[in-house]
Amino acid sequence: MLTFALKRRKKESMSKGKLAKFADMERFENVFQYPYSVVDDVPFDMKGKWREMYFHNDNPIVLELGCGKGEYTVELAKLYPEMNFIGVDIKGARMWTGAKKAIEEGQKNVAFLRTNIEIIDRFFAADEVQEIWLTFSDPQMKNPRKRLTSTYFMNRYRHFLVDGGIIHLKTDSNFLFTYTTYMVDGNHLPVLFRTEDLYHQEGIDEETRKILSIQTYYESMWIERGLNIKYQKFALPREGELVEPDIEIPLDDYRSYRRDKRSSKDTAK
């Protein structure tokens, strides 16, 4: 009974903590909340006007999709003060960490958008975004349409990414990295850099080396577990029909956060 009571109190404490964070998010000036449930009823006036209405400059805009706690968004903004960064995720309690830190440190080139990535093209106009970062995205081994590097999402990115805009993928997942490689190569997208072991790759250019100074909490854990961090960046031209790769890929034999894989299958498309 004591164990159950402790668990219940811990759960109640966590719930109160989330409520407090959600209350903070409502008043954070660098956070914009438009989840799927409200986006049809609440107008978003900044589409096409992020620079004019929020950043007040003409600098390039970079998105981090699935930003989690926003660690990468905040740290990239420090490395590149001449660029604007927007972290996007639906998990507000996680995003709170990065949003709060950006406010405390006075970062004017950082914003956060809480929404479903499936509707990301509702918030940005054509040519408004120069680059996209995908950092440790869920590999979605069961559902290709949910993978953030799928052709389904690539076609959405084309709505607002400049022609030939850059997409960065940083992942511990061999499945997602392999799938993305097949997608990129099969559609003849220009590969700018690719490595299966980012932290032990020789001959890395200076720009790529700069990102090595950024490690999220979970990335550090995965490195300690001996997992290679994989990275590739490629350009996304606006023209040309994109075709999904039709090949079986071995599933990851682990899940993040020390969980076993969820599927009994060994491969998936």
Side-chain angles (χ1 to χ4, degrees), residues 243-255:
V243 179
E244 272 291 301
D246 185 21
I247 188 166
E248 292 285 335
I249 302 170
L251 300 181
D252 294 334
D253 59 3
Y254 70 96
R255 293 286 297 179

Side-chain angles (χ1 to χ4, degrees), residues 147 151 179-180 182-184 187 243-247 249 269:
R147 292 171 203 154
T151 57
Y179 164 83
T180 304
Y182 279 119
M183 188 282 297
V184 169
N187 288 291
V243 179
E244 272 291 301
D246 185 21
I247 188 166
I249 302 170
K269 290 186 178 180

Side-chain angles (χ1 to χ4, degrees), residues 3-261:
T3 301
F4 176 78
L6 286 172
K7 287 183 177 179
R8 185 176 65 183
R9 284 200 294 272
K10 184 177 180 181
K11 187 174 181 180
E12 289 174 350
S13 177
M14 289 175 65
S15 297
K16 289 180 181 178
K18 281 189 174 183
L19 289 175
K21 289 178 179 179
F22 282 129
D24 284 344
M25 293 277 283
E26 288 291 339
R27 60 181 178 81
F28 282 174
E29 60 185 15
N30 61 352
V31 174
F32 304 88
Q33 304 193 71
Y34 289 83
Y36 209 122
S37 57
V38 305
V39 73
D40 288 330
D41 302 318
V42 181
F44 185 76
D45 298 329
M46 286 203 306
K47 181 175 181 178
K49 300 178 181 178
W50 279 89
R51 293 181 182 87
E52 174 187 344
M53 297 180 66
Y54 179 76
F55 292 112
H56 307 297
N57 61 48
D58 294 324
N59 295 339
I61 292 177
V62 180
L63 305 186
E64 185 193 3
L65 303 183
C67 69
K69 294 183 178 181
E71 298 161 283
Y72 231 81
T73 298
V74 168
E75 294 303 320
L76 282 171
K78 289 180 183 178
L79 281 180
Y80 299 96
E82 72 284 2
M83 303 175 78
N84 302 316
F85 292 86
I86 305 173
V88 183
D89 209 305
I90 191 59
K91 301 288 188 179
R94 294 181 185 173
M95 185 184 291
W96 174 89
T97 302
K100 186 172 186 291
K101 185 174 182 180
I103 290 174
E104 290 175 345
E105 298 187 357
Q107 290 181 285
K108 301 300 183 182
N109 64 331
V110 177
F112 289 92
L113 173 63
R114 189 174 79 84
T115 192
N116 304 78
I117 297 177
E118 289 82 356
I119 56 173
I120 187 64
D121 50 327
R122 298 192 187 189
F123 301 95
F124 301 94
D127 296 324
E128 192 168 16
V129 175
Q130 279 64 46
E131 298 183 30
I132 293 174
W133 275 86
L134 307 172
T135 51
F136 302 98
S137 308
D138 188 327
Q140 296 288 349
M141 292 185 282
K142 292 183 179 181
N143 192 341
R145 282 174 64 90
K146 289 188 175 183
R147 292 171 203 154
L148 296 187
T149 56
S150 68
T151 57
Y152 172 79
F153 277 104
M154 291 296 140
N155 283 319
R156 269 174 161 60
Y157 304 155
R158 280 174 160 178
H159 293 167
F160 56 82
L161 193 65
V162 296
D163 189 17
I166 297 174
I167 296 180
H168 305 258
L169 171 69
K170 194 178 183 189
T171 182
D172 63 303
S173 168
N174 186 66
F175 179 90
L176 183 60
F177 184 82
T178 303
Y179 164 83
T180 304
T181 298
Y182 279 119
M183 188 282 297
V184 169
D185 293 351
N187 288 291
H188 309 290
L189 304 181
V191 179
L192 305 177
F193 185 79
R194 178 183 289 158
T195 176
E196 295 189 24
D197 193 355
L198 178 61
Y199 291 98
H200 299 95
Q201 177 74 37
E202 295 182 358
I204 293 179
D205 64 87
E206 195 59 35
E207 280 301 302
T208 304
R209 191 175 301 280
K210 286 175 74 172
I211 70 172
L212 296 182
S213 64
I214 307 175
Q215 284 186 15
T216 66
Y217 170 75
Y218 288 111
E219 180 179 357
S220 299
M221 285 178 55
W222 296 325
I223 292 173
E224 288 178 5
R225 290 169 59 187
L227 298 176
N228 289 349
I229 303 302
K230 303 159 183 67
Y231 169 71
Q232 62 178 298
K233 62 178 176 178
F234 56 93
L236 181 61
R238 188 167 293 157
E239 299 300 321
E241 181 181 358
L242 298 176
V243 179
E244 272 291 301
D246 185 21
I247 188 166
E248 292 285 335
I249 302 170
L251 300 181
D252 294 334
D253 59 3
Y254 70 96
R255 293 286 297 179
S256 296
Y257 317 122
R258 306 184 185 278
R259 291 177 293 181
D260 294 332
K261 67 177 184 178

